[in-house]
Amino acid sequence: MASSAPALRSFNLALIQLGQIGTDKTKNIAHAREQVLKAASREDGPKPQLIVLPECFNSPYGATHFPTYAETIGYKPGEPYDPAKSESNTVRMLSSVAKETGTWLVGGSIPEREVSTGNLYNTATVYSPQGELVALHRKVHLFDIDIPGKITFKESETLTGGDSLNYFDTEFARIGLGICYDVRFPELVAIGARGGCQVFIYPGAFNMTTGPLHWQLLQTARAVDNQVFFGMCSPARDLSVGYHAWGHSLVVDPMGTVLAEAGHEEEIVHVRIDPQVFEEARAGIPVTTQRRFDVYPDVSA
Ligand SMILES: NC(=O)CCC(=O)C(=O)O
């Protein structure tokens, strides 16, 4: 990670708990665009500087759907990339709406096809207010679980796991990225936080079995362990489709306080990120300087 993270400044964050994600990809993309415009044009409070969409927002969520809905992005960090000329309809829309609204945008995640290998990934892309694609995260830990009688899901039937940790710098924070099941692996956040990320944003879609048990618990744990802000943005729950998302898009502060939580329907959650909470947590409970790497290894080293 680059050594000097920007100082954390106050900013406004909006999570779009998107509904109406169906089988028509064109409609899914158009609806996401409408909701980004709606979030950006907020009139009952401060406008957001960062907007977030949920996991798998242009496709139904399911291993059998990913090959049909996958788009080629072709972005490689450090190489020139013009999102306006991307093969991906979704990338073109995300870039143009980030530019139109002048906001940072975490473009949820979409199924991605890498042409050279044929591999499919669950991929989040991030755009600057100028519409540049500035970061890409491929879900590292695939959601493969089997809880008999409750839920069996196997992303690895069609997806490959990503092989890198990712973040992006804005004028107000260094922001770490992950996708949904990645939240269960604390190393990602520990490494990112020690590399200067003060905020973590994970598009996610927990389910009706693990959602009530672990959705808030895991985000609170990551936030408190690392004294960071942690937010996850879910799709709205839709009982007419195969995968029933838990919803409850959430933002937790470094003291473990829930700053905002959605219900389970389509909704936009607005939150102010306050650096004072971050500074007071770290000053009052100085775990960031009390670690005993003489007793156990530093996973970020
Ligand atoms: N989309 C996902 O990765 C779901 C993760 C999940 O529900 C969990 O319990 O973990």
Side-chain angles (χ1 to χ4, degrees):
M1 264 186 197
S3 50
S4 58
L8 181 63
R9 301 218 169 96
S10 171
F11 72 97
N12 298 302
L13 166 67
L15 306 184
I16 299 177
Q17 184 160 290
L18 196 69
Q20 302 173 34
I21 303 174
T23 51
D24 184 334
K25 198 208 288 192
T26 307
K27 278 195 188 155
N28 295 338
I29 296 172
H31 185 55
R33 180 181 147 73
E34 277 164 24
Q35 291 297 307
V36 173
L37 292 171
K38 182 174 172 190
S41 60
R42 180 185 193 202
E43 284 182 353
D44 62 348
K47 296 197 192 315
Q49 282 107 331
L50 172 62
I51 298 177
V52 183
L53 285 164
E55 183 177 23
C56 204
F57 75 87
N58 72 358
S59 153
Y61 186 53
T64 55
H65 299 294
F66 301 140
T68 314
Y69 285 79
E71 296 183 357
T72 299
I73 298 177
Y75 167 84
K76 297 212 170 44
E79 290 184 13
Y81 185 84
D82 183 355
K85 295 193 182 137
S86 175
E87 271 186 57
S88 161
N89 296 340
T90 309
V91 165
R92 290 201 306 276
M93 180 283 283
L94 292 169
S95 162
S96 81
V97 80
K99 193 170 172 182
E100 185 176 341
T101 55
T103 55
W104 291 90
L105 177 63
V106 175
S109 78
I110 64 169
E112 178 204 0
R113 176 175 287 105
E114 184 176 64
V115 172
S116 58
T117 57
N119 288 343
L120 303 181
Y121 299 93
N122 184 339
T123 301
T125 50
V126 181
Y127 304 84
S128 73
Q130 292 74 40
E132 302 144 318
L133 201 169
V134 297
L136 178 147
H137 177 79
R138 289 171 167 166
K139 188 176 192 174
V140 172
H141 304 93
L142 297 181
F143 178 44
D144 284 2
I145 68 167
D146 182 18
I147 307 176
K150 303 273 188 189
I151 177 168
T152 302
F153 203 97
K154 212 159 181 226
E155 279 190 319
S156 67
E157 279 171 3
T158 53
L159 298 185
T160 299
D163 61 5
S164 63
L165 307 189
N166 298 285
Y167 70 95
F168 61 103
D169 282 342
T170 65
E171 60 281 17
F172 43 77
R174 175 168 288 179
I175 300 179
L177 294 167
I179 300 176
C180 205
Y181 197 59
D182 283 335
V183 71
R184 291 189 180 273
F185 300 85
E187 290 87 348
L188 256 65
V189 185
I191 292 166
R194 286 176 214 166
C197 296
Q198 307 101 339
V199 179
F200 287 80
I201 297 291
Y202 282 35
F206 267 43
N207 57 82
M208 301 293 286
T209 300
T210 61
L213 292 170
H214 297 156
W215 173 256
Q216 183 172 327
L217 176 73
L218 287 166
Q219 293 180 66
T220 307
R222 299 295 83 84
V224 173
D225 275 355
N226 299 287
Q227 300 181 314
V228 293
F229 290 89
F230 204 97
M232 288 181 76
C233 182
S234 171
R237 188 176 308 156
D238 180 352
L239 298 178
S240 72
V241 299
Y243 185 86
H244 301 160
W246 172 237
H248 292 269
S249 296
L250 193 75
V251 183
V252 185
D253 81 9
M255 289 300 278
T257 304
V258 172
L259 297 181
E261 180 177 5
H264 61 78
E265 297 184 345
E266 181 163 274
E267 184 178 337
I268 301 175
V269 168
H270 291 274
V271 165
R272 177 174 168 259
I273 301 298
D274 179 359
Q276 198 177 335
V277 179
F278 175 83
E279 281 148 22
E280 286 177 2
R282 290 186 173 205
I285 311 173
V287 293
T288 52
T289 59
Q290 292 169 329
R291 295 209 163 87
R292 291 289 309 275
F293 296 133
D294 56 324
V295 177
Y296 47 83
D298 178 358
V299 289
S300 69

